[in-house]
Amino acid sequence: MFNIIPYPKEVKADNSRTCSAPYIVNKVISPRYENEAYSIRVTPDEIVLKAGTEKGLFYAEKTFLQMKKQYPDNMPCVHIKDAPDYPYRGYMLDCARHFFTPAEIKKQIDIMALLKLNYFHWHLTEDQGWRIESDIYPNLTVKGSKRKQTAGDGKPVEGYYTKADIKDIVAYCAERHIEVIPEIDLPGHSGAAMAAYPFLSCTGKEMEVEEYYGVSPHVVCAGKETTYEFYFRLLTEVMELFPCKYFHLGGDEAMKANWLDCPDCQNAIKENNLKDEEELQAHFMTRIIRFINENGKTAILWNDALAGGNFEGDFVVQYWQQNRKNSEYAIREAQKGRKIIWSPFFDLYLDYPYGMTPLKKTYKSTPLPEFRDGLLGMEAPLWTEHVETIEKAEYQTYPRLIACAEKTWNERDIRSFTFRLNQFERILDTYAVHYAKDYNPSFVKGKINVVKFFRTAFGRASKEYMKLAGKTRKRIKEKYKL
Ligand code: ACM
Ligand code: ZN
């Protein structure tokens, strides 16, 4: 039995014969293999890794590394044939709520490579911090990359990635066959951008980088032409740093409180014959989507962005919000032939405690049948409102990300996965990863875990914004007689 994660598609072992270390390994590129596929043949005399591409060979090496760990001296003869189920296998790290150094990120990239994950979704902008350098708009980092404290804790948080840092990380990923998708979230989650450049907001008033969490009512103005100009120029600069064909534009949790009172936004609704603020978001984002499409990129949007049905352009939907309405938006887009990335909140969100999202739940996550044909793959996101250190980030991430990796490559069953995980932990140990061991807690421990988490989360959430969310919903209902 070979304990490999993700488990390969076809493993034909011949336990009657072995190959002895030191192993003689030959690598062969063969046109008979497509994309990410590879094979490994272990005979008594040699080991042959074969693939059609360098990427395939890289994956063969990653599998072989696990085999060697298990059989350092005498490896049973075996023929492995392997290829992934999905072309998109992702991990998202929120570096905006808390900042992680390039070295800390690279360590996670190494583990992603071991797991044959191929997309690193880098969440770089938030209400609580802007983390990417811009030459055209320097205030984004001068002001936007610093917050004085979080929920009154008195501890400043700051940091950003220079263009040199970004190029270095993109190159580091490329060497490991991982593409980097930047996320510039808009029109919501843009508080740090508006603190740096108040002209982006509806009122133009000075504001500070957000010091509390929760859904902020401050969204960028979708009625002023200056907002579009800002993003066209900024995105041109950002796109130059990221060769990946995907570009994440967020679109999530955009509370339209400011838009209701803004003459420019209301004027934009009228002039463009839009039905409401949701259609204004679609109109706003469509212009940005089209702009990045013209630059050869496909956008990615979170599914709750899609309430206005008038979205156009080339984009992929990332499914996270699982309630009926938000599911319907994603299903509607899937029916139009758009691709879907599966990242459901209750299964794949790594920031929630193991008591709420145990490993077995992550492993059993099943995409909606409506997405079957258009499923590009899966991604496990780690949001970092309550993740202050890389050790905590690793605890939240592993082993749930490992489960997600196997699901996107070749889903098996949770029992065999848990068994194989023990072996994989020895490899994580060599990288000094702070993975969780209590990943399927007992009922009582799990409940305590969840209560503690939500008590902390509630304590750090903005009460003012919570109240405003309720008021805004009421105003929208009254305005449109819903
Ligand atoms: C999200 O979790 N706000 C996409
Ligand atoms: Zn406005």
Side-chain angles (χ1 to χ4, degrees):
M1 171 65 179
F2 284 90
N3 293 335
I4 300 164
I5 291 181
Y7 199 70
K9 285 275 161 50
E10 212 181 297
V11 181
K12 284 190 186 150
D14 173 1
N15 291 311
S16 64
R17 297 184 309 154
T18 58
C19 181
S20 305
Y23 300 125
I24 298 163
V25 179
N26 290 316
K27 295 180 197 167
V28 179
I29 293 271
S30 159
R32 300 219 331 265
Y33 291 77
E34 285 181 359
N35 303 326
E36 301 178 303
Y38 71 88
S39 73
I40 299 176
R41 192 185 282 278
V42 179
T43 68
D45 315 313
E46 63 163 359
I47 291 158
V48 181
L49 313 185
K50 239 186 225 182
T53 60
E54 288 298 330
K55 190 178 190 186
L57 269 188
F58 181 78
Y59 291 150
E61 282 167 21
K62 294 298 168 205
T63 298
F64 186 58
L65 189 138
Q66 294 188 54
M67 292 162 69
K68 265 196 308 194
K69 185 87 185 161
Q70 193 178 351
Y71 297 103
D73 303 315
N74 277 303
M75 192 177 290
C77 289
V78 71
H79 188 193
I80 290 175
K81 283 193 203 163
D82 202 10
D85 277 341
Y86 294 104
Y88 188 104
R89 307 181 296 280
Y91 173 53
M92 189 209 84
L93 183 60
D94 169 7
C95 293
R97 265 57 172 270
H98 282 97
F99 178 77
F100 300 98
T101 66
E104 289 169 338
I105 292 175
K106 284 180 180 176
K107 183 178 169 196
Q108 313 318 309
I109 299 299
D110 287 341
I111 311 303
M112 283 182 70
L114 276 178
L115 295 168
K116 306 184 178 84
L117 294 170
N118 59 355
Y119 285 97
F120 173 52
H121 171 181
W122 200 358
H123 187 78
L124 287 163
T125 68
E126 263 305 335
D127 296 314
Q128 294 81 10
W130 184 279
R131 307 274 171 237
I132 170 169
E133 182 179 42
S134 162
D135 296 326
I136 314 173
Y137 298 110
N139 232 15
L140 285 172
T141 51
V142 170
K143 173 141 195 203
S145 72
K146 298 174 188 148
R147 74 172 180 271
K148 293 190 193 88
Q149 56 184 342
T150 309
D153 68 2
K155 287 192 254 171
V157 174
E158 62 179 276
Y160 67 91
Y161 305 101
T162 64
K163 290 193 174 181
D165 289 335
I166 289 169
K167 283 181 191 157
D168 180 46
I169 287 176
V170 168
Y172 192 85
C173 287
E175 283 164 20
R176 287 154 185 77
H177 300 277
I178 293 168
E179 297 192 58
V180 186
I181 304 171
E183 180 176 354
I184 304 291
D185 203 342
L186 41 102
H189 293 280
S190 305
M194 288 185 280
Y197 292 99
F199 73 81
L200 289 171
S201 72
C202 286
T203 61
K205 278 191 196 140
E206 292 282 330
M207 56 189 273
E208 293 303 314
V209 175
E210 189 54 66
E211 293 176 8
Y212 283 84
Y213 298 125
V215 178
S216 162
H218 301 295
V219 294
V220 298
C221 182
K224 288 200 269 285
E225 209 46 36
T226 45
T227 309
Y228 296 90
E229 277 163 28
F230 173 90
Y231 281 108
F232 293 155
R233 294 183 73 199
L234 174 76
L235 294 178
T236 303
E237 204 184 355
V238 177
M239 279 188 285
E240 275 172 20
L241 295 168
F242 295 94
C244 182
K245 77 166 176 174
Y246 296 117
F247 196 106
H248 212 303
L249 292 174
D252 56 313
E253 298 181 318
M255 206 206 295
K256 282 91 180 173
N258 305 137
W259 289 1
L260 286 168
D261 299 317
C262 170
D264 295 306
C265 286
Q266 293 305 314
N267 197 32
I269 291 176
K270 252 188 240 131
E271 283 197 346
N272 294 288
N273 294 318
L274 304 172
K275 211 169 72 202
D276 56 17
E277 285 71 16
E278 294 298 349
E279 288 203 355
L280 179 59
Q281 177 170 357
H283 169 82
F284 170 76
M285 297 206 76
T286 295
R287 277 188 71 184
I288 313 273
I289 292 166
R290 286 211 186 286
F291 178 74
I292 66 152
N293 291 164
E294 283 159 18
N295 284 275
K297 308 270 188 198
T298 296
I300 304 178
L301 306 180
W302 298 104
N303 66 318
D304 58 322
L306 302 168
N310 52 327
F311 273 85
E312 288 173 33
D314 178 17
F315 65 89
V316 167
V317 177
Q318 185 160 11
Y319 179 84
W320 77 284
Q321 272 280 9
Q322 295 173 263
N323 60 25
R324 192 175 53 81
K325 249 177 34 192
N326 287 312
S327 297
E328 279 168 8
Y329 305 148
I331 291 168
R332 181 188 69 209
E333 297 303 324
Q335 283 164 348
K336 288 187 207 160
R338 290 199 199 282
K339 296 281 185 220
I340 306 286
I341 298 167
W342 181 251
S343 299
F345 173 87
F346 287 108
D347 305 345
L348 298 190
Y349 264 40
L350 302 173
D351 43 324
Y352 286 85
Y354 284 93
M356 177 174 135
T357 313
L359 180 69
K360 56 190 173 198
K361 193 169 171 194
T362 301
Y363 200 93
K364 287 179 186 166
S365 181
T366 307
L368 298 179
E370 290 89 341
F371 298 156
R372 208 168 285 142
D373 293 341
L375 200 65
L376 200 56
M378 304 186 192
E379 178 182 296
L382 179 67
W383 300 97
T384 60
E385 283 98 328
H386 315 296
V387 177
E388 280 143 29
T389 63
I390 198 67
E391 288 78 15
K392 177 84 193 298
E394 291 175 356
Y395 173 84
Q396 296 298 122
T397 299
Y398 312 104
R400 288 183 290 203
L401 181 64
I402 305 173
C404 181
E406 179 154 295
K407 288 173 71 62
T408 50
W409 190 278
N410 175 29
E411 186 167 345
R412 312 282 295 176
D413 60 283
I414 179 68
R415 272 192 65 194
S416 83
F417 174 75
T418 315
F419 177 79
R420 286 177 283 117
L421 189 57
N422 289 335
Q423 181 82 19
F424 200 83
E425 284 174 356
R426 303 289 76 76
I427 296 175
L428 294 181
D429 288 339
T430 64
Y431 287 83
V433 175
H434 299 81
Y435 53 85
K437 298 191 177 82
D438 51 347
Y439 44 70
N440 287 326
S442 68
F443 181 81
V444 174
K445 254 191 164 169
K447 285 279 174 277
I448 294 170
N449 206 214
V450 171
V451 168
K452 263 193 194 159
F453 174 86
F454 281 102
R455 198 183 286 155
T456 306
F458 186 74
R460 291 177 184 163
S462 165
K463 310 298 173 288
E464 182 196 332
Y465 292 172
M466 277 191 229
K467 269 191 227 146
L468 205 87
K471 265 195 205 153
T472 306
R473 275 194 292 273
K474 202 165 149 223
R475 282 185 68 192
I476 288 178
K477 268 190 190 160
E478 280 166 11
K479 181 171 174 186
Y480 295 102
K481 305 197 179 7
L482 299 173

